[in-house]
Amino acid sequence: MAAFAPFLFVGGAAAPFFESIAVVVILCLLFSLIESKLILPAHLVGLQLGKPAKPRTAFIARWQRSISARLSWFIENRYLPFLKRCLHHRYATLAGFLALLIISISAVNSGIARFEFFPNVPGDGVQAQIIMQDGASMENLHETLTRVEAAAYEVDAEYRSSHPGSKGLIEHSVFYTESDVQAMFMLSLTHSEDRSLDGFEIEKLWRDKVGNLPNVRKQRYYAGTNAGGGAKINLTLSGADPEQLTLAAAALAEKLGQYNGVFDIYNSQGAGSREILIGLKPNASQLGISLGDIARQVRQAFYGEEVQRLQRGADTLKVMVRYPIEERSSIATLEHIRTASGHAITIGEVADIRLGLGLTAISRIDRERTVTITADVDASKAQSGAVIQDLTTELMPQLLARYSGVKFGLGGASQEQQDLMQRMILGFVASLFLIYGLLAVPLKSYVQPLVIMAVIPFGFIGAVVGHIIFGVSISMLSIFGLIALAGVVVNDSLILVEFVNRGRSEDLSIDEALMGAGRQRFRAILLTTMTTFVGLLPMLFETSTQAQFVIPMALSLSFGIVFATTITLILIPCLYRVIYDLRDSKRFVEPLLAAD
């Protein structure tokens, strides 16, 4: 319970997810404690041991005795001699476990075991977001949506032809327009149990079938239920100089496109529709004309100036004065403007006029102009965290040096991941302090709790192996499995250390106490491991969408606990023995220091 309690206060967008799991686990452990202390003893009172088995169940008794005898033989002839050698070479044993831990961490860093903090689970639907270029007509939008829809049903038809008798991939589709240039397209897929392709594979086939679309500013396809929300990579650039910001954003987007597995790159600034750009000449001030004067007169000419409001029943009508529509359709209308004295002059005398492309949108954060660059990542080819780390350390220092007025930051799911990771680390540290305090009080030792807790990071080795075997990315769900694993291995290690302490209190040597504790606890630890692993095994092969959220937790716990059995039965005795080595060396050194 101490391991999960701090995660009730993690906060953030993912807080409901953390809180729901933590509350369920804490309540289950609380009621199991009540059951073990109050209800289980009543069951054990009526248990009759040694009673002759009935003839129909005699084979079960023989089977139990056979397994028990073989297990006892294994303990005496295999485990204990091996433990004795490990205790004799305890420092080499510790070095071996540390090497395995380092290899496991390296497997994550190198991408052999993929890591995505927010789990991206394939859902029962695929969506496409289409944003047209500014100025695109409704006909362009309709043609684009028709092409996207046709591509989806082509994928479905090809699947049905290659899988006769199947229900296909698509149950129905729907799209809606959010504006004149933006639309959402959604496919509802058949149940995952009725198809051999998951949502990610269908998404890829759909994207490839559509290809590049003309007059489209952004097209994004996604099939996952990403807990972080939005694109996996979300980067922001901010600054006061629009030109530097535009160039820096273009360079960042270009660099993202060079990473293998990074796709659907989107620049929020984009290129808008064509517009007239007016710049003031230096001599304009001599005529008393400012840029605001020119802008106001241009607005009055083309948009109009309100001169009166008329009431017509419940409606208010605005009377606008502006150029006729024929003159508003020509740039030649901008030929003349008037000075403050009312004289008409040629606009070319006081301003430069040129055609250019405007920005689609201007976003500001903390009063600074901001550009957002987003991208998605194919988890089988790249890790979003590794891409962001590489950009932060390699590209951004050069980019910020080239464009000195630009600042870099994270946004969206990337920022949420960074904040959540920091809060989770804080919660994990708080859990370790709680566990240490709960162990130190009954053991009356400052060192033995550290020996018990030393097994916690080594459970990561088995979790990494499990994720590699099943091809599942390590995520924050896997971290919850590691937390549960920590509770299991700490319990096993605590009882093993307690048995060693009992042996020491009976005047046994340290090696005899360690060997005796291993002999007595081997069966119980092995049974705990096997029951947990076998109980979780069916979940690992479940294909439903709901199961995909708990499979990472099950992998961490099941494979982690298999390796944790070795950790508990081998590593804990070696660590305990090393502590006594340190104590003996202290007893040896202190008299020498006193003699000096």
Side-chain angles (χ1 to χ4, degrees):
M1 290 189 290
F4 285 92
F7 291 91
L8 294 172
F9 311 100
V10 168
F17 177 82
F18 286 95
E19 291 171 0
S20 59
I21 293 181
V23 167
V24 170
V25 173
I26 289 174
L27 290 177
C28 289
L29 293 175
L30 179 62
F31 282 107
S32 67
L33 178 64
I34 296 174
E35 196 278 340
S36 64
K37 298 301 180 184
L38 301 179
I39 301 175
L40 183 60
H43 293 165
L44 295 177
V45 167
L47 187 63
Q48 298 180 1
L49 299 176
K51 183 179 179 180
K54 296 179 181 180
R56 287 183 296 180
T57 60
F59 74 96
I60 297 178
R62 291 194 299 270
W63 189 30
Q64 290 174 336
R65 288 193 296 269
S66 175
I67 294 177
S68 179
R70 293 181 181 181
L71 189 58
S72 298
W73 178 90
F74 180 83
I75 294 173
E76 296 295 334
N77 296 278
R78 293 291 183 267
Y79 168 63
L80 290 179
F82 181 73
L83 176 60
K84 186 176 181 180
R85 287 194 296 271
C86 290
L87 289 173
H88 181 70
H89 304 284
R90 46 192 173 274
Y91 294 100
T93 303
L94 294 179
F97 278 105
L98 285 173
L100 289 176
L101 181 59
I102 294 172
I103 292 173
S104 301
I105 296 174
S106 301
V108 177
N109 293 334
S110 64
I112 297 176
R114 300 188 304 272
F115 177 82
E116 286 292 341
F117 188 79
F118 290 116
N120 206 10
V121 177
D124 288 332
V126 183
Q127 301 183 45
Q129 181 185 21
I130 306 296
I131 300 180
M132 306 295 293
Q133 295 284 2
D134 282 0
S137 64
M138 288 299 296
E139 290 76 13
N140 294 142
L141 179 61
H142 178 72
E143 292 174 0
T144 299
L145 294 180
T146 301
R147 177 173 170 179
V148 172
E149 181 182 25
Y153 282 101
E154 285 179 23
V155 172
D156 182 66
E158 291 175 1
Y159 179 83
R160 290 177 184 270
S161 63
S162 60
H163 297 78
S166 70
K167 296 182 179 180
L169 301 175
I170 303 174
E171 283 191 346
H172 60 266
S173 62
V174 63
F175 73 86
Y176 60 91
T177 57
E178 299 179 352
S179 65
D180 293 341
V181 297
Q182 185 171 352
M184 288 292 297
F185 205 108
M186 294 178 289
L187 301 180
S188 179
L189 305 179
T190 56
H191 292 295
S192 57
E193 295 85 354
D194 299 328
R195 48 185 163 85
S196 59
L197 301 180
D198 62 26
F200 296 135
E201 294 170 312
I202 299 172
E203 168 200 324
K204 186 177 184 303
L205 291 173
W206 190 17
R207 178 188 291 105
D208 294 340
K209 184 68 69 174
V210 172
N212 294 324
L213 295 171
N215 298 320
V216 170
R217 178 171 161 232
K218 176 184 180 181
Q219 53 177 333
R220 179 177 181 242
Y221 304 83
Y222 47 100
T225 52
N226 189 351
K232 292 182 179 180
I233 297 178
N234 193 309
L235 310 173
T236 61
L237 296 174
S238 59
D241 189 332
E243 184 176 356
Q244 283 196 344
L245 197 58
T246 300
L247 294 174
L252 179 56
E254 182 181 0
K255 179 64 176 178
L256 274 173
Q258 297 175 8
Y259 288 96
N260 183 31
V262 177
F263 57 93
D264 285 352
I265 302 169
Y266 173 67
N267 185 335
S268 67
Q269 193 174 49
S273 56
R274 296 178 65 190
E275 64 182 18
I276 299 173
L277 303 177
I278 301 176
L280 201 64
K281 289 184 176 181
N283 63 333
S285 59
Q286 300 175 3
L287 299 174
I289 296 178
S290 66
L291 187 60
D293 296 330
I294 298 177
R296 183 173 59 256
Q297 293 188 43
V298 172
R299 184 180 187 276
Q300 290 170 344
F302 287 86
Y303 178 76
E305 182 76 11
E306 181 181 341
V307 296
Q308 188 180 6
R309 293 193 179 190
L310 301 177
Q311 193 70 29
R312 292 290 185 269
D315 300 325
T316 300
L317 302 180
K318 295 180 180 181
V319 179
M320 307 289 292
V321 177
R322 59 188 176 187
Y323 287 168
I325 189 170
E326 297 83 9
E327 298 184 19
R328 281 186 277 130
S329 61
S330 173
I331 302 179
T333 308
L334 293 175
E335 184 178 356
H336 296 89
I337 63 169
R338 292 187 178 274
T339 63
S341 61
H343 293 89
I345 61 173
T346 304
I347 193 173
E349 297 180 14
V350 293
D352 292 319
I353 300 177
R354 58 187 176 90
L355 292 177
L357 292 177
L359 299 177
T360 302
I362 298 177
S363 303
R364 295 184 183 274
I365 298 177
D366 295 333
R367 295 182 296 177
E368 288 189 324
R369 180 174 290 190
T370 302
V371 179
T372 301
I373 310 296
T374 62
D376 277 311
V377 177
D378 185 349
S380 63
K381 298 179 180 178
Q383 304 178 72
S384 60
V387 173
I388 294 174
Q389 179 67 25
D390 186 66
L391 285 172
T392 304
T393 56
E394 298 296 332
L395 174 67
M396 293 317 301
Q398 304 174 17
L399 203 64
L400 297 181
R402 190 187 314 164
Y403 306 106
S404 57
V406 176
K407 292 183 287 186
F408 170 75
L410 301 179
S414 300
Q415 182 63 47
E416 178 65 21
Q417 173 179 333
Q418 186 182 67
D419 296 341
L420 188 56
M421 180 71 80
Q422 293 174 353
R423 293 193 295 267
M424 288 189 68
I425 292 175
L426 183 61
F428 183 68
V429 172
S431 299
L432 294 179
F433 274 104
L434 286 174
I435 294 173
Y436 179 84
L438 292 173
L439 294 175
V441 172
L443 291 175
K444 299 179 181 179
S445 171
Y446 292 108
V447 178
Q448 287 187 2
L450 297 177
V451 174
I452 296 171
M453 295 172 63
V455 302
I456 294 177
F458 290 94
F460 180 71
I461 302 173
V464 170
V465 173
H467 283 79
I468 293 175
I469 292 175
F470 279 79
V472 177
S473 298
I474 299 173
S475 63
M476 68 176 182
L477 299 175
S478 308
I479 296 175
F480 267 103
L482 290 173
I483 295 172
L485 174 66
V488 175
V489 297
V490 164
N491 291 338
D492 288 341
S493 302
L494 172 61
I495 298 175
L496 183 66
V497 169
E498 177 61 24
F499 272 71
V500 177
N501 291 339
R502 290 181 187 179
R504 294 292 293 160
S505 65
E506 297 172 0
D507 296 329
L508 296 177
S509 67
I510 179 62
D511 290 331
E512 291 175 342
L514 291 170
M515 298 286 286
R519 177 186 292 107
Q520 297 174 31
R521 293 302 304 164
F522 184 92
R523 188 187 302 261
I525 293 174
L526 180 64
L527 290 176
T528 301
T529 300
M530 296 303 297
T531 52
T532 304
F533 181 79
V534 173
L536 293 172
L537 199 58
M539 188 181 300
L540 303 181
F541 298 96
E542 181 60 48
T543 59
S544 64
T545 301
Q546 294 79 3
Q548 305 308 309
F549 287 95
V550 294
I551 284 178
M553 289 188 284
L555 282 172
S556 295
L557 183 55
S558 59
F559 281 86
I561 200 172
V562 169
F563 192 80
T565 300
T566 305
I567 297 172
T568 304
L569 294 172
I570 302 298
L571 182 62
I572 290 298
C574 291
L575 284 174
Y576 199 106
R577 189 68 180 83
V578 168
I579 295 299
Y580 266 79
D581 289 345
L582 297 176
R583 290 182 178 179
D584 291 341
S585 63
K586 184 178 179 181
R587 294 193 187 106
F588 176 75
V589 171
E590 284 180 348
L592 294 179
L593 294 176
D596 292 340

